Amino acid sequence: MSETLTDLVGLDRESLANLLEPHGLKGYRIGQIWQQIYRLGALNFDSMTTIAKSARQGLAEKFFVGRLEIESSQTSKDGTRKWLFRLHDGSLVETVFIPETDRGTLCVSSQVGCTLNCQFCHTGTQRLVRNLSSQEILAQILTAKDELEDWPAPRPDRKLTNIVLMGMGEPLYNFDNVKQAMLIALDPEGLGFSRRRITLSTAGVVPMIVRAGEEIGVNLAISLHATNDDIRDKIVPINKKYPLTELLNACRAYPTLNNARRITFEYVMLKDVNDKDEHAYALADMLKDIPAKINLIPFNPWPGAVFERSTKDRIHRFAGILMNAGYPSPVRTPRGEDILAACGQLKSATEKVRRARPGVSAA
Ligand code: SAH
């Protein structure tokens, strides 16, 4: 990948068309290249045999089809896979694939690090923060599909069926790039994901929530984690800026909301912090006029975390109260724990090692 070549991944169709026109490619030819990249997973122009050989050579002199460099990868005993990707500036991000019987979900990062500082989240302890480009967001999906040998894209038996923007970073603080990447992922001529199979998770960037619904239109998940502002201010500090009342109002205004398409509320179970019966009753009450499902996530500990996971009994009692109140509230089984790939644990050990070396910058 030379500095002088331009990556075609992550460009919308119009930009792609503008770049390719000087090479004599326009009209349906643009669609063909799009399909080669996003439907067939082409890694270079040689394989694009629908394009004349001379044109392909011209393209190869100017462009490339980007992937991410794999710094390392791990497979959990439960089949979960985690990749640590090295970006062109040396920063590192993680992406996780979680296979289940009826689906395969890719947990995608939207930023290097995160500015939100949620107290229970490992990513918040990472200093370096920058937005990922639309190319870097999409290339996580493309590289994972290469690794899973999951091309062509829209096969009925595809391995990667769902995308969740629940990796590192806050997607609504990187709205434009996330939007562009997701619109490309949704494009029926390419990756062809349906809107119901992509979920955007936010800690509550209230002014962007309705816009996300209108302009991206995927499922929404809210990292709620508390039922009153006192507790939420402490564990999800963005709550001080956008308190619960505002957050829930934005959820009520989320477009296409009905019972078939509920908002997921994520609730991390922290021992003696937010896991009492009274919290479960309050949770059921506060969501009663929103089509909601609740995901209870047992806290995933990481080295240095000050919280503990709620006990099994506590989590079941909590889930029971919600169930009685009419909420589907599955308890998420932590996946990939042995490779630190579970929710909120994404933060590369490599980065820490590099930082610990004197004179070596984390950037
Ligand atoms: N910034 C976005 C997306 C990233 S976090 C958001 O906040 O939604 C993805 C989910 O993992 C969030 O619900 C987050 O609260 C949860 N999470 C973070 N750390 C966790 C941990 N240690 N254990 C369990 N869940 C955690």
Side-chain angles (χ1 to χ4, degrees), residues 120-121 166-167 169-170 201-203 223 225 266 268 299-300 302 343-344:
F120 48 84
C121 179
M166 294 187 188
E170 168 51 51
S201 179
T202 178
S223 294
H225 309 320
E266 292 157 281
V268 59
F299 170 64
N300 292 308
W302 36 272
C343 318

Side-chain angles (χ1 to χ4, degrees), residues 17 54 82 94 117 134 158 165 183 188 196 223 231 253 265 344:
S54 57
K82 177 169 91 166
E94 289 175 304
N117 250 316
S134 59
R158 64 207 278 179
L165 285 155
L183 294 184
R196 291 169 181 275
S223 294
I231 300 179
F265 289 88

Side-chain angles (χ1 to χ4, degrees), residues 78-333:
D78 69 13
T80 300
R81 297 183 65 172
K82 177 169 91 166
W83 296 277
L84 174 64
F85 294 120
R86 175 178 294 278
L87 309 177
H88 62 84
D89 64 350
S91 3
L92 300 164
V93 284
E94 289 175 304
T95 306
V96 175
F97 178 71
I98 306 142
E100 289 170 275
T101 43
D102 62 336
R103 69 182 70 184
T105 304
L106 193 70
C107 183
V108 170
S109 294
S110 56
Q111 296 182 307
V112 175
C114 189
T115 53
L116 292 176
N117 250 316
C118 300
Q119 290 302 292
F120 48 84
C121 179
H122 201 14
T123 307
T125 64
Q126 194 165 319
R127 277 189 315 188
L128 183 70
V129 182
R130 77 161 169 88
N131 282 337
L132 295 182
S133 64
S134 59
Q135 188 276 342
E136 290 163 335
I137 296 168
L138 269 171
Q140 293 173 63
I141 303 169
L142 303 183
T143 311
K145 284 181 78 73
D146 294 346
E147 287 278 289
L148 296 166
E149 297 181 19
D150 195 32
W151 298 105
R155 301 184 334 273
D157 61 340
R158 64 207 278 179
K159 293 178 192 157
L160 203 178
T161 60
N162 291 48
I163 294 172
V164 293
L165 285 155
M166 294 187 188
M168 296 161 69
E170 168 51 51
L172 294 187
Y173 276 161
N174 185 16
F175 186 85
D176 292 340
N177 296 342
V178 165
K179 174 181 166 183
Q180 180 150 327
M182 290 307 109
L183 294 184
I184 293 172
L186 290 164
D187 190 295
E189 270 195 59
L191 287 164
F193 284 92
S194 101
R195 290 197 144 74
R196 291 169 181 275
R197 290 190 175 270
I198 300 183
T199 301
L200 185 152
S201 179
T202 178
V205 184
V206 166
M208 303 307 285
I209 288 177
V210 170
R211 232 188 112 189
E214 286 167 353
E215 296 181 27
I216 314 175
V218 296
N219 295 328
L220 179 67
I222 301 285
S223 294
L224 191 66
H225 309 320
T227 53
N228 61 54
D229 286 324
D230 277 351
I231 300 179
R232 199 164 191 269
D233 280 352
K234 292 198 185 93
I235 60 178
V236 184
I238 195 182
N239 193 70
K240 289 185 225 156
K241 197 162 175 192
Y242 306 116
L244 279 171
T245 317
E246 287 178 35
L247 177 58
L248 296 176
N249 280 338
C251 291
R252 287 185 193 98
Y254 194 72
T256 77
L257 201 56
N258 55 49
N259 274 320
R261 195 130 178 254
R262 299 163 191 258
I263 294 179
T264 302
F265 289 88
E266 292 157 281
Y267 197 95
V268 59
M269 300 295 298
L270 303 169
K271 189 175 180 204
D272 299 331
V273 175
N274 64 357
D275 64 350
K276 301 192 172 77
D277 285 358
E278 67 195 62
H279 299 134
Y281 289 115
L283 185 55
D285 192 52
M286 75 193 276
L287 300 180
K288 64 177 182 295
D289 60 347
I290 301 176
K293 59 183 176 210
I294 301 167
N295 259 343
L296 298 177
I297 318 173
F299 170 64
N300 292 308
W302 36 272
V306 295
F307 298 102
E308 280 175 66
R309 178 181 290 181
S310 306
T311 62
K312 256 199 180 122
D313 284 355
R314 188 85 298 270
I315 297 175
H316 281 185
R317 163 111 190 141
F318 198 97
I321 294 172
L322 296 172
M323 230 93 87
N324 284 339
Y327 292 95
S329 43
V331 179
R332 276 223 228 136
T333 321

